[in-house]
Structure formats: C-alpha cells, structure tokens
Amino acid sequence: MIPGPFSYHRPATVADAVKLLSTLGDEVRALAGGHSLVPMMKLRLATPEHLVDLHGVAGLKGISRKGNTVVIGAMTTQHELLASDEIGKSLPILHETALLIADPQVRYRGTIGGNVANGDPGNDMPALMMTLGASYRLEGASGARDVAATEFYQGAYFTSLEPGELLTSISIPVPAAGHGYAYEKLKRKVGDYATAAAAVVLTMADGKVATCAIGLTNLSETPLLATDAAKAVIGTSLDPATLKKAAAAAVAIMSPAADARGPVEYRKHVGGIMVMRALSRAAAGAR
Amino acid sequence: MAKTHVTMKVNGAEVEGLVEPRTLLVHFIRENLALTGTHIGCETTHCGACTVDIDGMSVKSCTMFAVQAQGSDIMTIEGVANADGSLSALQEGFRMMHGLQCGFCTPGMILRAQRLLKENPSPTEAEIRMGISGNICRCTGYQNIVKAIQYAAAKINGVEFQEAAE
Ligand SMILES: Cc1cc2nc3c(=O)[nH]c(=O)nc-3n(C[C@H](O)[C@H](O)[C@H](O)COP(=O)(O)OP(=O)(O)OC[C@H]3O[C@@H](n4cnc5c(N)ncnc54)[C@H](O)[C@@H]3O)c2cc1C
Ligand code: FES
Ligand code: FES
C-alpha cells in the first residue's frame, strides 16, 4: 500500500498553485483532503509525478454569505460544513448530505472542492450542487471563469477543468425561505457510497408544489438533474400517482453501472424509490 | 527520490526524521518512530485501525503523507495513558467492559473515542455508534466497545456507570 514516487509541492497562494499546476506537465495533480486521491495512489490506480498540496494556500477556506449567495472555499472540509451555523441556517440540505458522506475521520480531511472536482459518479456533493444551481469558480493561468455545476460534469472522472486550472470556490444561491428539502441515500452500510441517492429542493404554495429541482447521485456516469421528473410534480399535491409518475420520469434517464452495489435494474428501481422518498419528505418539511 | 526532513510533536515529545514524499504518516509512526500500536488493517481507508489524533482531529494516518504532518501535534495509543502511568478512562473502560478480543482495532477505536468524547462528553448510544462508524472491528460485534465508551463517558463526567438493561 505504498504509493509510487512523486515530488511534493506546497504553494502558499492560488497564483503559485496555478503556476505549478500549469508548468509541471501532464502528471501533476492537486492534493486537497487526499481521501479520494491517496487511496487511488496506494492501489497504484493513480501515479502522479507531482502533487501540489493545497493545505498551505491561504484563502481557499471559509464559508461566507454575500447577499443571497453562500460562497464556500474549495478547501473547506465536510467537518467544517457540519460545524457551520450559516450552512445549518441557509442550506440545511448541505448539512444533511455532508453527514451522509463516509465517516468522521474522512469528513475531518475531505473537502467540498475535492468532492465536486473529483468527477467520481459516487460522490454525493455534485448532484446536490446541480440541484441547488451552484456554480464553480475555476482559476487558471489565463484568469478566472465561473462554470455552472450543471455544465461541469462530462463523464466519469471527466470534468470541464482544464489542465492547470484550480477550483477555488463554490457559489450557491440560498433557496427560498420555507423551502422543503431532502437528500435520500440508499447505502449498504454507514460510510458507504450511494447505491442510489436523490436530492430534492422544492417550494409549496396552497398545498401544491410551486418550484422543484431533483438531482440524482451514482445513477449514471455523471450526476443528473431530473428535469422531467421535477416538471411532473409542479402544480400537484404530490398524490401517489404523481409520485409514481415522477419516479418513472427519473428512472428513464438513469443508466447506472452494475457493480457490487447491485445490478442495473435494481439500482434503477431503488433510484426511483429514493426520488419518491425525497419528494415526500421535502414536501412535508416545506412551510 | 530526495528525502525531506520533518519535525512534529508526537505524544508530547518533539520528533524528527527523513522521509520520502510518498511515505505515509502511518509508516513514519510505525517504522521511523517504532510506535507500533498504530495498526494498518486495509488498503482503502475503510478500517480505521490507523486512526491517530492530529491537531484536534481524528485522522486515518494511512491516508496522509508524513510531509503533510510537518509541525503538527499528534497523539497515538502510546500517549493516551494518564501522566502517572495509570490507564485513561477509555483504556479502563475497554478493560472493564471487555471492549476487545484480538485487540487489533483497539488503538484506533480508543483514539477515535477519545476525540468523540472531547467533542461530545455525553453521547447517546446512537451518537457513539455513528462516532465510531469509521472504525471496523472483526471480533466484538461492537456491543462491548459501545459499553466501554459509555463507561469512560460516565467516569469523565463523574457519574456512576449504569449498564443499560438488555
Ligand atoms: C472510506 C471512504 C468512504 C467515502 N465515502 C464517500 C461517500 O459516501 N460520498 C462521497 O461523496 N465521498 C465519499 N468519499 C470520498 C471523500 O468524500 C473524498 O474526501 C472526496 O471525494 C474528495 O475530496 P478530497 O478533498 O479528499 O480530495 P482529493 O482526494 O485530494 O482530490 C480528489 C481529486 O480532485 C482533485 N482536486 C481536489 N481539489 C481540487 C481543486 N480545488 N481544484 C481542482 N482539482 C481538485 C484532485 O486533484 C483529485 O484528482 C469516501 C472516501 C473514503 C476514503
Ligand atoms: S489502515 Fe485501514 S483505514 Fe488506515
Ligand atoms: S477486537 Fe479484534 S478487530 Fe476489534
């Protein structure tokens, strides 16, 4: 379990980190919490020649609210998200989801930036970020750009990060006051990746769904936004027939891989159930 | 690969060593420092046997490089006994409640439980089970580990330990 050899770099600023990432060639990787990358290196599934450790970079941490947007630095850990009053108040679904990621030790080290940048279909944050309409700030040698979470994921471990670019922060619009939310995750045991998971954020008016967004985790090679399923529930009171219709619309866009968590049909089936559970619980919590 | 000089505090003592960048912290602790209480039980960061306390956090030392621990303050199982050499409340709890069988997971369990009790001195049974969910035990079935932690919590809080009715 010893990783292959590499050179270790510890820049102090974003500019220096970007410079290292863009000048050290193809085999350079950013090192955030290391809780996806280091296990891969131990198994020699990843063999970077250079690691650029982001732990010394000032300004990549922290949670702040700017008007109706919460901005989270890439190096903010899951543990820090869980401890944050701001997150508990304005983005309770982020708190709920962070608590379902791995175990306490992993949450002390794992970062939100690493979780969304990793591109693993099993990561929980990406589908949630799509559901919340988040955007990512990417900084490279030629400047900064903002990419919507919905545009970022292109395939398994394949994102729109260009070589040399660093994800520096995540901006999340605060959902409407009184919104209902739920992240329903089916897993084999505490700390496991999702067999299937669904994120729902919705608002209700006069007992009917007014707005709704649904995201899906580990049900395709990228996180998915189930837009047809969300459309199907708008204007309804989420009666059983509507829930079934929404689940069917969500299942129609799922294409999970068969793995140790189950065959394709099973994962799609429970994916639909996660959508129904998340919708019901979100509606029950909406005010 | 060129080696780097690292210094850190381990169990209250300043230590140093030469490491390759790829040297995992757990290997530095076991091989350079000869503190073999910290165990390696998996290759995938799942088992928690390598858990140590670093700067107020429980960390799986198999998933961090020794170079990253430069300047940090670390506690391993060798450092948890009381200053006079007597067993800490948790060590005593594991002994009294039979919280171990083979003992392989025990150092990681105790380090994790110690941090859990610092953050939450009176955890419920459910909070204890969630709190140690990153630590796998192949022997005990966890029941007595939970009791050991409840015993320690009671002792630290100065109340009498009551075993829950089965
Ligand atoms: C036992 C275990 C169970 C787990 N269970 C879950 C789970 O249930 N759900 C879940 O979502 N995750 C899970 N994880 C993964 C964990 O959440 C990781 O911490 C996370 O996926 C990656 O974050 P990191 O900070 O550790 O990133 P790293 O491992 O350091 O990096 C991951 C990748 O992202 C790149 N990267 C990191 N930060 C940046 C950045 N700022 N800009 C550009 N690229 C960057 C790295 O170069 C690397 O390719 C689990 C991990 C373990 C070990
Ligand atoms: S050795 Fe298993 S988690 Fe570290
Ligand atoms: S006592 Fe044997 S693994 Fe826990």
Side-chain angles (χ1 to χ4, degrees), chain A residues 39-53:
Chain A
M40 300 272 276
M41 289 172 65
K42 290 197 289 186
L43 298 170
R44 306 278 176 125
L45 293 171
T47 50
E49 285 168 12
H50 299 274
L51 284 189
V52 178
D53 188 348

Side-chain angles (χ1 to χ4, degrees), chain A residues 8-59:
Chain A
Y8 176 76
H9 309 266
R10 196 177 164 94
T13 63
V14 169
D16 287 347
V18 165
K19 195 163 175 195
L20 287 164
L21 287 172
S22 48
T23 53
L24 287 172
D26 292 342
E27 295 300 319
V28 53
R29 295 280 276 274
L31 175 66
H35 275 57
S36 289
L37 185 53
V38 177
M40 300 272 276
M41 289 172 65
K42 290 197 289 186
L43 298 170
R44 306 278 176 125
L45 293 171
T47 50
E49 285 168 12
H50 299 274
L51 284 189
V52 178
D53 188 348
L54 303 178
H55 281 97
V57 180

Side-chain angles (χ1 to χ4, degrees), chain A residues 1-8 10 31-36 38-39 41-44 49 51 53 55 79 99 102-109 189-193, chain B residues 1 20-24 26-27 40 42-46 48 51 56-60 62-65 67-68 108 112 115-116 119 129-136:
Chain A
M1 65 169 248
I2 297 177
F6 60 86
S7 305
Y8 176 76
R10 196 177 164 94
L31 175 66
H35 275 57
S36 289
V38 177
M41 289 172 65
K42 290 197 289 186
L43 298 170
R44 306 278 176 125
E49 285 168 12
L51 284 189
D53 188 348
H55 281 97
H79 183 78
L99 203 52
D103 56 57
Q105 288 96 315
V106 173
R107 295 195 289 264
Y108 277 117
R109 296 283 298 172
K189 63 170 201 49
V190 173
D192 193 19
Y193 290 93
Chain B
M1 198 54 58
E20 281 186 63
R22 64 173 175 163
T23 304
L24 295 163
V26 70
H27 291 135
I40 299 169
C42 73
E43 300 198 321
T44 51
T45 314
H46 273 90
T51 301
M57 297 182 286
S58 302
V59 175
K60 293 179 181 177
C62 70
T63 309
M64 180 173 165
F65 297 108
V67 283
Q68 294 187 284
R112 174 59 202 135
R115 178 54 47 196
L116 171 69
E119 290 183 354
R129 288 183 183 275
M130 286 302 281
I132 59 166
S133 60
N135 296 70
I136 290 174

